[in-house]
Short mmCIF file of all heavy atoms in Angstrom, two decimals:
data_model
loop_
_atom_site.label_atom_id
_atom_site.label_comp_id
_atom_site.label_asym_id
_atom_site.label_seq_id
_atom_site.Cartn_x
_atom_site.Cartn_y
_atom_site.Cartn_z
N ALA A 231 0.82 -1.21 0.00
CA ALA A 231 0.00 0.00 0.00
C ALA A 231 0.85 1.26 0.00
O ALA A 231 0.50 2.26 -0.64
CB ALA A 231 -0.93 -0.01 1.20
N GLU A 232 1.97 1.23 0.72
CA GLU A 232 2.85 2.40 0.74
C GLU A 232 3.37 2.68 -0.66
O GLU A 232 3.45 3.84 -1.09
CB GLU A 232 4.00 2.18 1.71
CG GLU A 232 4.90 3.41 1.85
CD GLU A 232 6.09 3.17 2.77
OE1 GLU A 232 6.54 2.01 2.89
OE2 GLU A 232 6.58 4.16 3.35
N GLN A 233 3.74 1.64 -1.39
CA GLN A 233 4.21 1.84 -2.76
C GLN A 233 3.10 2.38 -3.66
O GLN A 233 3.33 3.28 -4.48
CB GLN A 233 4.76 0.53 -3.32
CG GLN A 233 6.02 0.06 -2.63
CD GLN A 233 6.64 -1.11 -3.34
OE1 GLN A 233 7.13 -0.99 -4.47
NE2 GLN A 233 6.60 -2.26 -2.70
N LEU A 234 1.91 1.85 -3.52
CA LEU A 234 0.79 2.35 -4.31
C LEU A 234 0.55 3.83 -4.05
O LEU A 234 0.23 4.59 -4.96
CB LEU A 234 -0.48 1.55 -4.01
CG LEU A 234 -0.46 0.05 -4.34
CD1 LEU A 234 -1.77 -0.60 -3.94
CD2 LEU A 234 -0.16 -0.18 -5.81
N SER A 235 0.71 4.25 -2.78
CA SER A 235 0.49 5.66 -2.42
C SER A 235 1.53 6.57 -3.07
O SER A 235 1.31 7.77 -3.20
CB SER A 235 0.53 5.83 -0.90
OG SER A 235 1.84 5.70 -0.39
N ARG A 236 2.66 6.00 -3.48
CA ARG A 236 3.72 6.77 -4.13
C ARG A 236 3.60 6.74 -5.65
O ARG A 236 4.46 7.25 -6.37
CB ARG A 236 5.09 6.24 -3.73
CG ARG A 236 5.40 6.40 -2.24
CD ARG A 236 6.68 5.67 -1.88
NE ARG A 236 7.06 5.88 -0.49
CZ ARG A 236 8.07 5.25 0.12
NH1 ARG A 236 8.77 4.35 -0.57
NH2 ARG A 236 8.35 5.49 1.37
N GLY A 237 2.56 6.09 -6.15
CA GLY A 237 2.33 6.06 -7.59
C GLY A 237 2.85 4.83 -8.30
O GLY A 237 2.77 4.74 -9.53
N VAL A 238 3.39 3.86 -7.56
CA VAL A 238 3.84 2.61 -8.17
C VAL A 238 2.63 1.78 -8.58
O VAL A 238 1.67 1.65 -7.82
CB VAL A 238 4.72 1.82 -7.18
CG1 VAL A 238 5.16 0.49 -7.80
CG2 VAL A 238 5.93 2.64 -6.76
N GLU A 239 2.66 1.22 -9.77
CA GLU A 239 1.57 0.37 -10.23
C GLU A 239 1.53 -0.92 -9.41
O GLU A 239 2.57 -1.42 -8.96
CB GLU A 239 1.73 0.03 -11.70
CG GLU A 239 1.59 1.23 -12.63
CD GLU A 239 0.17 1.78 -12.66
OE1 GLU A 239 -0.77 0.99 -12.50
OE2 GLU A 239 0.03 3.01 -12.82
N LEU A 240 0.32 -1.47 -9.23
CA LEU A 240 0.17 -2.66 -8.41
C LEU A 240 1.04 -3.81 -8.91
O LEU A 240 1.70 -4.50 -8.12
CB LEU A 240 -1.30 -3.10 -8.38
CG LEU A 240 -1.61 -4.39 -7.60
CD1 LEU A 240 -1.14 -4.30 -6.17
CD2 LEU A 240 -3.09 -4.71 -7.67
N GLU A 241 1.06 -4.03 -10.20
CA GLU A 241 1.85 -5.14 -10.75
C GLU A 241 3.33 -5.00 -10.38
O GLU A 241 3.99 -5.97 -10.00
CB GLU A 241 1.69 -5.18 -12.27
CG GLU A 241 2.42 -6.32 -12.94
CD GLU A 241 2.20 -6.33 -14.44
OE1 GLU A 241 1.21 -5.74 -14.91
OE2 GLU A 241 3.03 -6.93 -15.14
N GLU A 242 3.85 -3.78 -10.47
CA GLU A 242 5.25 -3.55 -10.14
C GLU A 242 5.50 -3.71 -8.64
O GLU A 242 6.52 -4.27 -8.22
CB GLU A 242 5.67 -2.14 -10.59
CG GLU A 242 7.08 -1.72 -10.18
CD GLU A 242 8.17 -2.62 -10.73
OE1 GLU A 242 7.94 -3.33 -11.73
OE2 GLU A 242 9.29 -2.62 -10.15
N ALA A 243 4.57 -3.24 -7.82
CA ALA A 243 4.72 -3.39 -6.37
C ALA A 243 4.73 -4.86 -5.97
O ALA A 243 5.52 -5.29 -5.12
CB ALA A 243 3.59 -2.66 -5.65
N LEU A 244 3.87 -5.65 -6.59
CA LEU A 244 3.85 -7.08 -6.32
C LEU A 244 5.16 -7.73 -6.74
O LEU A 244 5.72 -8.57 -6.02
CB LEU A 244 2.69 -7.74 -7.06
CG LEU A 244 1.27 -7.31 -6.67
CD1 LEU A 244 0.26 -7.88 -7.66
CD2 LEU A 244 0.92 -7.73 -5.26
N ARG A 245 5.66 -7.33 -7.90
CA ARG A 245 6.92 -7.90 -8.39
C ARG A 245 8.07 -7.57 -7.44
O ARG A 245 8.91 -8.42 -7.15
CB ARG A 245 7.21 -7.38 -9.80
CG ARG A 245 8.40 -8.06 -10.46
CD ARG A 245 8.80 -7.41 -11.77
NE ARG A 245 7.70 -7.42 -12.72
CZ ARG A 245 7.12 -6.32 -13.20
NH1 ARG A 245 7.52 -5.13 -12.78
NH2 ARG A 245 6.15 -6.40 -14.08
N ARG A 246 8.10 -6.35 -6.96
CA ARG A 246 9.16 -5.95 -6.03
C ARG A 246 9.12 -6.78 -4.75
O ARG A 246 10.15 -7.07 -4.15
CB ARG A 246 9.02 -4.47 -5.68
CG ARG A 246 9.33 -3.51 -6.83
CD ARG A 246 9.14 -2.07 -6.39
NE ARG A 246 9.37 -1.13 -7.49
CZ ARG A 246 9.27 0.19 -7.35
NH1 ARG A 246 8.97 0.72 -6.17
NH2 ARG A 246 9.49 0.98 -8.40
N SER A 247 7.90 -7.13 -4.33
CA SER A 247 7.78 -7.87 -3.07
C SER A 247 8.43 -9.23 -3.13
O SER A 247 8.87 -9.77 -2.11
CB SER A 247 6.29 -8.02 -2.68
OG SER A 247 5.65 -9.05 -3.44
N ILE A 248 8.51 -9.82 -4.30
CA ILE A 248 9.11 -11.15 -4.44
C ILE A 248 10.58 -11.12 -4.01
O ILE A 248 11.09 -12.07 -3.42
CB ILE A 248 8.95 -11.66 -5.88
CG1 ILE A 248 7.46 -11.81 -6.22
CG2 ILE A 248 9.68 -12.98 -6.08
CD1 ILE A 248 7.19 -12.11 -7.68
N ASP A 249 11.25 -10.00 -4.29
CA ASP A 249 12.64 -9.85 -3.86
C ASP A 249 12.74 -9.33 -2.43
O ASP A 249 13.66 -9.69 -1.70
CB ASP A 249 13.38 -8.89 -4.80
CG ASP A 249 13.57 -9.46 -6.18
OD1 ASP A 249 13.82 -10.67 -6.29
OD2 ASP A 249 13.45 -8.71 -7.17
N ALA A 250 11.80 -8.49 -2.02
CA ALA A 250 11.89 -7.86 -0.70
C ALA A 250 11.50 -8.79 0.44
O ALA A 250 12.01 -8.65 1.56
CB ALA A 250 11.00 -6.62 -0.66
N LEU A 251 10.62 -9.75 0.18
CA LEU A 251 10.13 -10.64 1.22
C LEU A 251 10.97 -11.91 1.27
O LEU A 251 11.24 -12.52 0.24
CB LEU A 251 8.66 -11.00 0.98
CG LEU A 251 7.69 -9.82 0.84
CD1 LEU A 251 6.29 -10.34 0.52
CD2 LEU A 251 7.68 -8.96 2.10
N ASP A 252 11.33 -12.30 2.47
CA ASP A 252 12.14 -13.50 2.66
C ASP A 252 11.28 -14.55 3.37
O ASP A 252 10.76 -14.30 4.45
CB ASP A 252 13.37 -13.17 3.50
CG ASP A 252 14.33 -14.35 3.61
OD1 ASP A 252 14.23 -15.26 2.77
OD2 ASP A 252 15.15 -14.35 4.54
N GLY A 253 11.13 -15.70 2.76
CA GLY A 253 10.33 -16.76 3.35
C GLY A 253 9.54 -17.48 2.28
O GLY A 253 9.84 -17.41 1.08
N VAL A 254 8.52 -18.20 2.72
CA VAL A 254 7.60 -18.87 1.80
C VAL A 254 6.27 -18.15 1.86
O VAL A 254 5.76 -17.88 2.94
CB VAL A 254 7.44 -20.37 2.13
CG1 VAL A 254 8.73 -21.10 1.88
CG2 VAL A 254 6.99 -20.57 3.57
N PHE A 255 5.71 -17.82 0.72
CA PHE A 255 4.47 -17.04 0.73
C PHE A 255 3.75 -17.15 -0.61
O PHE A 255 4.35 -17.25 -1.67
CB PHE A 255 4.76 -15.56 1.02
CG PHE A 255 5.72 -14.91 0.05
CD1 PHE A 255 5.27 -14.34 -1.14
CD2 PHE A 255 7.09 -14.88 0.32
CE1 PHE A 255 6.16 -13.74 -2.03
CE2 PHE A 255 7.98 -14.28 -0.57
CZ PHE A 255 7.51 -13.72 -1.74
N THR A 256 2.45 -17.18 -0.52
CA THR A 256 1.55 -16.88 -1.62
C THR A 256 0.47 -16.00 -1.03
O THR A 256 -0.21 -16.41 -0.08
CB THR A 256 0.92 -18.14 -2.23
OG1 THR A 256 1.95 -18.94 -2.83
CG2 THR A 256 -0.10 -17.77 -3.29
N TYR A 257 0.36 -14.79 -1.52
CA TYR A 257 -0.64 -13.89 -0.94
C TYR A 257 -1.53 -13.30 -2.02
O TYR A 257 -1.16 -13.20 -3.19
CB TYR A 257 0.03 -12.79 -0.11
CG TYR A 257 0.84 -11.77 -0.87
CD1 TYR A 257 0.23 -10.68 -1.50
CD2 TYR A 257 2.24 -11.87 -0.94
CE1 TYR A 257 0.98 -9.73 -2.18
CE2 TYR A 257 2.99 -10.92 -1.62
CZ TYR A 257 2.36 -9.85 -2.24
OH TYR A 257 3.09 -8.92 -2.92
N LEU A 258 -2.73 -12.93 -1.59
CA LEU A 258 -3.69 -12.22 -2.42
C LEU A 258 -3.86 -10.83 -1.84
O LEU A 258 -4.14 -10.68 -0.65
CB LEU A 258 -5.04 -12.95 -2.43
CG LEU A 258 -5.05 -14.35 -3.01
CD1 LEU A 258 -6.41 -15.02 -2.78
CD2 LEU A 258 -4.74 -14.32 -4.51
N LEU A 259 -3.67 -9.81 -2.65
CA LEU A 259 -3.83 -8.44 -2.21
C LEU A 259 -4.91 -7.77 -3.04
O LEU A 259 -4.85 -7.78 -4.28
CB LEU A 259 -2.52 -7.66 -2.32
CG LEU A 259 -2.62 -6.26 -1.71
CD1 LEU A 259 -1.50 -6.02 -0.69
CD2 LEU A 259 -2.60 -5.19 -2.79
N SER A 260 -5.88 -7.19 -2.37
CA SER A 260 -7.01 -6.59 -3.06
C SER A 260 -7.00 -5.08 -2.90
O SER A 260 -6.59 -4.55 -1.86
CB SER A 260 -8.33 -7.16 -2.54
OG SER A 260 -8.44 -6.99 -1.13
N THR A 261 -7.45 -4.39 -3.94
CA THR A 261 -7.67 -2.95 -3.92
C THR A 261 -9.07 -2.71 -4.48
O THR A 261 -9.76 -3.64 -4.91
CB THR A 261 -6.64 -2.20 -4.77
OG1 THR A 261 -6.91 -2.45 -6.16
CG2 THR A 261 -5.22 -2.66 -4.44
N ALA A 262 -9.46 -1.44 -4.55
CA ALA A 262 -10.76 -1.11 -5.14
C ALA A 262 -10.81 -1.48 -6.62
O ALA A 262 -11.90 -1.64 -7.19
CB ALA A 262 -11.05 0.38 -4.96
N ASP A 263 -9.64 -1.65 -7.24
CA ASP A 263 -9.59 -1.89 -8.68
C ASP A 263 -9.42 -3.35 -9.07
O ASP A 263 -9.48 -3.68 -10.24
CB ASP A 263 -8.44 -1.09 -9.30
CG ASP A 263 -8.64 0.41 -9.12
OD1 ASP A 263 -9.78 0.87 -9.25
OD2 ASP A 263 -7.63 1.10 -8.85
N GLY A 264 -9.16 -4.23 -8.09
CA GLY A 264 -9.01 -5.64 -8.45
C GLY A 264 -8.22 -6.42 -7.41
O GLY A 264 -8.09 -6.00 -6.26
N ILE A 265 -7.69 -7.55 -7.85
CA ILE A 265 -6.94 -8.46 -6.98
C ILE A 265 -5.61 -8.79 -7.63
O ILE A 265 -5.53 -9.06 -8.84
CB ILE A 265 -7.73 -9.76 -6.73
CG1 ILE A 265 -9.04 -9.47 -6.00
CG2 ILE A 265 -6.89 -10.77 -5.93
CD1 ILE A 265 -9.95 -10.68 -5.85
N GLY A 266 -4.55 -8.78 -6.82
CA GLY A 266 -3.25 -9.21 -7.29
C GLY A 266 -2.74 -10.35 -6.43
O GLY A 266 -3.23 -10.57 -5.32
N MET A 267 -1.79 -11.09 -6.94
CA MET A 267 -1.16 -12.15 -6.16
C MET A 267 0.33 -12.16 -6.44
O MET A 267 0.79 -11.70 -7.48
CB MET A 267 -1.75 -13.53 -6.47
CG MET A 267 -1.50 -14.09 -7.87
SD MET A 267 0.16 -14.83 -8.18
CE MET A 267 0.16 -16.16 -6.98
N ALA A 268 1.07 -12.68 -5.46
CA ALA A 268 2.50 -12.90 -5.65
C ALA A 268 2.89 -14.13 -4.86
O ALA A 268 2.32 -14.41 -3.79
CB ALA A 268 3.32 -11.68 -5.21
N SER A 269 3.87 -14.86 -5.38
CA SER A 269 4.37 -16.03 -4.69
C SER A 269 5.89 -16.02 -4.72
O SER A 269 6.50 -15.41 -5.61
CB SER A 269 3.85 -17.32 -5.34
OG SER A 269 4.36 -17.45 -6.66
N ASP A 270 6.49 -16.70 -3.75
CA ASP A 270 7.94 -16.79 -3.72
C ASP A 270 8.44 -17.70 -4.85
O ASP A 270 7.66 -18.33 -5.56
CB ASP A 270 8.40 -17.31 -2.36
CG ASP A 270 7.98 -18.75 -2.14
OD1 ASP A 270 8.70 -19.66 -2.60
OD2 ASP A 270 6.91 -18.97 -1.52
N ARG A 271 9.74 -17.78 -5.00
CA ARG A 271 10.30 -18.50 -6.15
C ARG A 271 10.27 -20.01 -6.01
O ARG A 271 10.63 -20.73 -6.95
CB ARG A 271 11.72 -18.00 -6.42
CG ARG A 271 11.72 -16.57 -6.97
CD ARG A 271 13.10 -16.14 -7.45
NE ARG A 271 13.02 -14.88 -8.17
CZ ARG A 271 13.04 -13.68 -7.60
NH1 ARG A 271 13.14 -13.60 -6.27
NH2 ARG A 271 12.95 -12.59 -8.31
N LEU A 272 9.85 -20.51 -4.88
CA LEU A 272 9.66 -21.95 -4.73
C LEU A 272 8.18 -22.34 -4.87
O LEU A 272 7.86 -23.48 -5.16
CB LEU A 272 10.19 -22.43 -3.37
CG LEU A 272 11.69 -22.27 -3.15
CD1 LEU A 272 12.07 -22.75 -1.75
CD2 LEU A 272 12.49 -23.03 -4.20
N ALA A 273 7.30 -21.35 -4.64
CA ALA A 273 5.85 -21.57 -4.76
C ALA A 273 5.38 -22.78 -3.97
O ALA A 273 4.63 -23.62 -4.47
CB ALA A 273 5.45 -21.68 -6.24
N ILE A 274 5.82 -22.87 -2.73
CA ILE A 274 5.42 -24.00 -1.87
C ILE A 274 3.95 -23.90 -1.50
O ILE A 274 3.26 -24.91 -1.40
CB ILE A 274 6.31 -24.04 -0.62
CG1 ILE A 274 7.75 -24.38 -1.00
CG2 ILE A 274 5.77 -25.02 0.41
CD1 ILE A 274 8.73 -24.30 0.13
N LYS A 275 3.46 -22.68 -1.32
CA LYS A 275 2.06 -22.48 -0.94
C LYS A 275 1.20 -22.41 -2.20
O LYS A 275 1.40 -21.54 -3.05
CB LYS A 275 1.90 -21.20 -0.11
CG LYS A 275 2.73 -21.19 1.18
CD LYS A 275 2.32 -22.31 2.12
CE LYS A 275 3.11 -22.26 3.41
NZ LYS A 275 2.71 -23.33 4.36
N PRO A 276 0.23 -23.31 -2.35
CA PRO A 276 -0.46 -23.45 -3.63
C PRO A 276 -1.52 -22.38 -3.88
O PRO A 276 -2.05 -21.75 -2.96
CB PRO A 276 -1.13 -24.82 -3.49
CG PRO A 276 -1.37 -24.97 -2.01
CD PRO A 276 -0.19 -24.30 -1.35
#
């Protein structure tokens, strides 16, 4: 959300999170305009 508030597009913010977050994750993030998802590079969480 902080990135979105600075004008970063949702797709780019999600992509950045893949490098910024350390661990195993698959998340769904929703805004008024839609839903995005991102997963780590192992994609353990289905």
Side-chain angles (χ1 to χ4, degrees):
E232 184 183 27
Q233 293 189 67
L234 297 179
S235 72
R236 296 172 176 173
V238 178
E239 294 292 328
L240 177 57
E241 182 179 339
E242 174 60 21
L244 296 171
R245 187 188 301 117
R246 291 179 183 180
S247 78
I248 298 171
D249 292 323
L251 304 177
D252 186 19
V254 293
F255 58 87
T256 295
Y257 68 83
L258 297 172
L259 186 127
S260 56
T261 71
D263 298 321
I265 297 174
M267 67 79 61
S269 65
D270 66 85
R271 290 189 170 85
L272 296 178
I274 293 173
K275 301 298 182 179

